[in-house]
Amino acid sequence: DLERQFALLCRLRDLLSRTHETINRIRTTRALFESRQRAAPGAKESDAVRGSRRLVRSLAAIEEALVQTKARARRDFMIMPTKLNAKIGGLILHVGDADGPPTRASQELTRRLERTLEVLLARLQRAMAPAPGGFRPILPDGEPSHHR
């Protein structure tokens, strides 16, 4: 029973780590493109500028699905929707507090949370892909986005 509990906790830990790594990647990339936009305030509405703005909006939407970005005070977390990272964290607490094997409900919720992350990762990959004949995001390390 404890081995099954431990296995699920490890799976959830890895899921939460992937979620937070994705959030960090989004924030780094978004900050880079926002700073580029600020550096060229009078820039003509070129395909690159429009593509950059579109990318920033897409990244923000994905980030908002992963983590509560609008909460400013502790109380905000109680009244605003719970996002993926908090759902995973809550399930970790629930599974870790149990004195028996993980329930079917906990296992099913884990699978649903994993699928949710996979969908969001696919959205991120599409957002970072070069537009046909147009905007091609370059990441902080200078590598075109389609190599990630």
Side-chain angles (χ1 to χ4, degrees), residues 11-12 14-23 25-26 62 65-66 84-85 88 109-127:
R11 192 168 145 196
L12 287 164
D14 293 345
L15 183 62
L16 187 60
S17 291
R18 285 181 58 209
T19 301
H20 287 158
E21 288 165 3
T22 303
I23 293 165
R25 179 174 170 216
I26 287 171
I62 297 166
L66 293 168
L84 184 63
N85 72 326
I88 297 167
L109 181 54
T110 300
R111 285 189 289 276
R112 270 191 279 153
L113 295 172
E114 287 170 333
R115 285 191 301 268
T116 299
L117 181 59
E118 292 306 318
V119 166
L120 292 168
L121 289 173
R123 277 179 57 194
L124 177 60
Q125 188 171 7
R126 283 191 306 275

Coordinates of all heavy atoms in Angstrom, one line a residue, residues 11-12 14-23 25-26 62 65-66 84-85 88 109-127:
R11 N 4.9 10.4 -9.1 CA 4.3 10.8 -10.3 C 3.8 12.2 -10.3 O 4.0 13.0 -11.2 CB 3.2 9.8 -10.6 CG 2.7 9.8 -12.0 CD 1.8 8.6 -12.2 NE 0.7 8.9 -13.1 CZ -0.4 8.1 -13.2 NH1 -0.5 7.0 -12.5 NH2 -1.4 8.5 -13.9
L12 N 3.1 12.5 -9.2 CA 2.5 13.8 -9.0 C 3.6 14.9 -8.8 O 3.5 16.0 -9.3 CB 1.6 13.9 -7.8 CG 0.3 13.2 -8.0 CD1 -0.4 12.9 -6.7 CD2 -0.6 14.0 -8.9
D14 N 6.6 14.8 -10.1 CA 7.2 15.0 -11.5 C 6.2 15.8 -12.3 O 6.7 16.7 -13.1 CB 7.4 13.6 -12.2 CG 8.5 12.9 -11.5 OD1 9.3 13.4 -10.7 OD2 8.6 11.6 -11.8
L15 N 4.9 15.6 -12.2 CA 3.9 16.4 -12.9 C 4.0 17.9 -12.5 O 4.0 18.8 -13.3 CB 2.5 15.8 -12.7 CG 1.4 16.5 -13.4 CD1 1.6 16.4 -14.9 CD2 0.1 15.9 -13.0
L16 N 4.1 18.1 -11.2 CA 4.2 19.5 -10.6 C 5.5 20.1 -11.1 O 5.5 21.3 -11.5 CB 4.1 19.5 -9.1 CG 4.0 20.9 -8.5 CD1 2.8 21.6 -8.9 CD2 3.9 20.7 -6.9
S17 N 6.6 19.4 -11.1 CA 7.9 19.9 -11.6 C 7.8 20.3 -13.1 O 8.2 21.4 -13.4 CB 9.0 18.9 -11.4 OG 9.3 18.7 -10.1
R18 N 7.2 19.5 -13.9 CA 7.0 19.8 -15.3 C 6.2 21.1 -15.5 O 6.4 21.9 -16.3 CB 6.4 18.6 -16.1 CG 7.3 17.5 -16.3 CD 6.7 16.4 -17.1 NE 6.2 16.8 -18.4 CZ 5.1 16.2 -19.0 NH1 4.5 15.2 -18.4 NH2 4.7 16.7 -20.1
T19 N 5.1 21.2 -14.6 CA 4.2 22.3 -14.7 C 5.0 23.6 -14.4 O 5.0 24.6 -15.1 CB 3.1 22.2 -13.7 OG1 2.3 21.0 -14.1 CG2 2.1 23.3 -13.7
H20 N 5.8 23.6 -13.3 CA 6.6 24.7 -12.9 C 7.7 25.0 -13.9 O 8.0 26.2 -14.1 CB 7.1 24.6 -11.5 CG 6.0 24.7 -10.5 ND1 6.1 24.2 -9.2 CD2 4.8 25.3 -10.5 CE1 5.0 24.4 -8.5 NE2 4.2 25.1 -9.3
E21 N 8.3 24.0 -14.4 CA 9.3 24.3 -15.5 C 8.7 25.0 -16.7 O 9.3 25.9 -17.3 CB 10.0 23.0 -15.9 CG 10.9 22.4 -14.9 CD 11.3 20.9 -15.1 OE1 10.8 20.3 -16.2 OE2 11.9 20.3 -14.3
T22 N 7.5 24.6 -17.0 CA 6.8 25.2 -18.2 C 6.4 26.6 -17.8 O 6.6 27.5 -18.7 CB 5.5 24.4 -18.5 OG1 5.9 23.0 -18.8 CG2 4.8 25.0 -19.7
I23 N 6.0 26.9 -16.6 CA 5.7 28.3 -16.2 C 6.9 29.1 -16.3 O 6.9 30.2 -16.8 CB 5.1 28.3 -14.8 CG1 3.7 27.6 -14.8 CG2 5.0 29.7 -14.2 CD1 3.2 27.2 -13.4
R25 N 9.6 28.7 -18.2 CA 9.9 28.8 -19.6 C 9.1 29.9 -20.2 O 9.5 30.8 -21.0 CB 9.8 27.5 -20.3 CG 10.2 27.6 -21.8 CD 10.2 26.3 -22.4 NE 10.3 26.4 -23.8 CZ 9.6 25.7 -24.7 NH1 8.9 24.7 -24.3 NH2 9.8 25.9 -26.0
I26 N 7.8 29.8 -19.9 CA 6.8 30.8 -20.5 C 7.2 32.2 -20.0 O 7.2 33.2 -20.8 CB 5.4 30.5 -20.1 CG1 4.9 29.2 -20.9 CG2 4.4 31.7 -20.3 CD1 3.6 28.7 -20.4
I62 N -1.7 30.6 -21.8 CA -1.3 29.2 -21.4 C -0.8 29.3 -19.9 O -1.1 28.5 -19.1 CB -0.2 28.7 -22.3 CG1 -0.7 28.5 -23.7 CG2 0.4 27.4 -21.7 CD1 0.3 28.3 -24.8
A65 N -3.6 29.3 -17.5 CA -4.2 27.9 -17.2 C -3.3 27.1 -16.3 O -3.8 26.2 -15.6 CB -4.4 27.2 -18.6
L66 N -2.0 27.4 -16.2 CA -1.1 26.7 -15.4 C -1.1 27.2 -14.0 O -0.9 26.4 -13.0 CB 0.3 26.7 -16.0 CG 0.5 26.0 -17.3 CD1 1.8 26.4 -17.9 CD2 0.4 24.5 -17.1
L84 N -3.9 24.7 -12.6 CA -3.3 23.3 -12.6 C -2.3 23.1 -11.5 O -2.4 22.1 -10.8 CB -2.7 23.1 -14.0 CG -2.2 21.7 -14.2 CD1 -3.3 20.6 -14.1 CD2 -1.4 21.6 -15.5
N85 N -1.4 24.0 -11.3 CA -0.4 23.7 -10.3 C -0.9 23.6 -8.9 O -0.5 22.7 -8.1 CB 0.7 24.8 -10.3 CG 0.3 26.1 -9.8 OD1 -0.8 26.6 -9.9 ND2 1.2 26.8 -9.2
I88 N -2.7 20.1 -8.6 CA -1.7 19.1 -8.4 C -1.2 19.1 -7.0 O -1.1 18.1 -6.3 CB -0.5 19.2 -9.4 CG1 -1.0 19.0 -10.8 CG2 0.6 18.2 -9.1 CD1 0.0 19.5 -11.9
L109 N -7.9 11.3 -11.1 CA -7.6 12.8 -11.2 C -6.2 13.0 -11.6 O -5.9 14.0 -12.4 CB -7.9 13.4 -9.8 CG -7.6 14.9 -9.7 CD1 -8.4 15.7 -10.7 CD2 -8.0 15.3 -8.3
T110 N -5.3 12.2 -11.2 CA -3.9 12.3 -11.7 C -3.8 12.2 -13.2 O -3.2 13.0 -13.8 CB -3.0 11.2 -11.0 OG1 -3.0 11.4 -9.6 CG2 -1.6 11.3 -11.5
R111 N -4.5 11.2 -13.7 CA -4.5 11.0 -15.2 C -5.1 12.2 -15.9 O -4.6 12.7 -16.9 CB -5.3 9.8 -15.6 CG -4.5 8.5 -15.3 CD -5.2 7.2 -15.9 NE -6.4 6.9 -15.2 CZ -6.5 6.1 -14.1 NH1 -5.4 5.7 -13.6 NH2 -7.6 5.8 -13.5
R112 N -6.2 12.8 -15.3 CA -6.8 14.0 -15.9 C -5.9 15.2 -15.9 O -5.8 15.9 -16.8 CB -8.1 14.3 -15.2 CG -9.3 13.6 -15.9 CD -10.6 14.2 -15.4 NE -10.9 13.5 -14.1 CZ -11.6 14.1 -13.1 NH1 -12.1 15.2 -13.2 NH2 -11.7 13.4 -12.0
L113 N -5.2 15.3 -14.8 CA -4.2 16.5 -14.6 C -3.1 16.3 -15.6 O -2.6 17.3 -16.2 CB -3.8 16.6 -13.2 CG -4.8 17.0 -12.2 CD1 -4.3 16.9 -10.7 CD2 -5.4 18.3 -12.4
E114 N -2.6 15.1 -15.8 CA -1.5 14.8 -16.7 C -2.0 15.1 -18.2 O -1.3 15.8 -18.9 CB -1.1 13.3 -16.7 CG -0.3 13.0 -15.4 CD -0.1 11.5 -15.3 OE1 -0.9 10.7 -15.7 OE2 0.9 11.1 -14.6
R115 N -3.2 14.7 -18.5 CA -3.8 15.1 -19.8 C -3.9 16.6 -20.0 O -3.6 17.1 -21.1 CB -5.1 14.4 -20.1 CG -5.0 12.9 -20.3 CD -6.3 12.3 -20.8 NE -7.4 12.4 -19.9 CZ -7.7 11.5 -18.9 NH1 -7.0 10.4 -18.8 NH2 -8.8 11.7 -18.1
T116 N -4.3 17.3 -19.0 CA -4.5 18.7 -19.1 C -3.1 19.3 -19.4 O -3.0 20.2 -20.2 CB -5.0 19.3 -17.7 OG1 -6.3 18.7 -17.5 CG2 -5.1 20.8 -17.8
L117 N -2.1 18.9 -18.7 CA -0.7 19.5 -18.9 C -0.3 19.1 -20.3 O 0.3 20.0 -21.0 CB 0.3 18.9 -17.9 CG 1.7 19.5 -18.1 CD1 1.7 21.0 -18.0 CD2 2.7 18.9 -17.1
E118 N -0.5 17.9 -20.8 CA -0.1 17.6 -22.2 C -0.8 18.5 -23.2 O -0.2 18.9 -24.2 CB -0.4 16.1 -22.5 CG 0.4 15.1 -21.7 CD 1.9 15.4 -21.8 OE1 2.4 15.7 -23.0 OE2 2.7 15.3 -20.8
V119 N -2.1 18.8 -23.0 CA -2.8 19.7 -23.9 C -2.2 21.1 -23.9 O -2.0 21.7 -24.9 CB -4.3 19.7 -23.5 CG1 -5.0 20.9 -24.2 CG2 -5.0 18.4 -23.8
L120 N -1.9 21.6 -22.7 CA -1.3 22.9 -22.6 C 0.1 22.9 -23.2 O 0.5 23.9 -23.8 CB -1.2 23.3 -21.1 CG -2.6 23.6 -20.6 CD1 -2.6 23.8 -19.0 CD2 -3.2 24.9 -21.2
L121 N 0.9 21.8 -23.0 CA 2.2 21.7 -23.7 C 2.1 21.7 -25.2 O 2.9 22.3 -25.9 CB 3.0 20.5 -23.2 CG 3.4 20.6 -21.7 CD1 4.0 19.2 -21.3 CD2 4.5 21.7 -21.5
A122 N 1.1 21.1 -25.7 CA 0.9 21.1 -27.2 C 0.5 22.5 -27.6 O 1.0 22.9 -28.7 CB -0.2 20.1 -27.5
R123 N -0.3 23.2 -26.9 CA -0.6 24.6 -27.2 C 0.6 25.4 -27.2 O 0.8 26.3 -28.1 CB -1.7 25.2 -26.2 CG -3.1 24.8 -26.5 CD -4.1 25.4 -25.5 NE -4.0 26.8 -25.4 CZ -4.6 27.5 -24.4 NH1 -5.2 26.9 -23.4 NH2 -4.4 28.8 -24.3
L124 N 1.5 25.2 -26.2 CA 2.7 26.0 -26.1 C 3.6 25.7 -27.3 O 4.2 26.6 -27.9 CB 3.4 25.6 -24.8 CG 4.8 26.3 -24.6 CD1 4.7 27.8 -24.6 CD2 5.4 25.8 -23.3
Q125 N 3.7 24.4 -27.7 CA 4.5 24.1 -28.8 C 4.0 24.7 -30.1 O 4.8 25.3 -30.9 CB 4.6 22.6 -29.0 CG 5.6 22.1 -30.0 CD 5.8 20.6 -30.0 OE1 5.1 19.9 -29.3 NE2 6.7 20.2 -30.8
R126 N 2.6 24.7 -30.3 CA 2.1 25.4 -31.5 C 2.3 26.9 -31.4 O 2.6 27.5 -32.5 CB 0.6 25.1 -31.6 CG 0.2 23.7 -32.1 CD -1.3 23.6 -32.4 NE -2.2 23.9 -31.3 CZ -2.5 23.1 -30.3 NH1 -2.1 21.9 -30.3 NH2 -3.4 23.5 -29.4
A127 N 2.2 27.5 -30.3 CA 2.4 29.0 -30.1 C 3.9 29.3 -30.5 O 4.1 30.4 -31.1 CB 2.1 29.4 -28.7

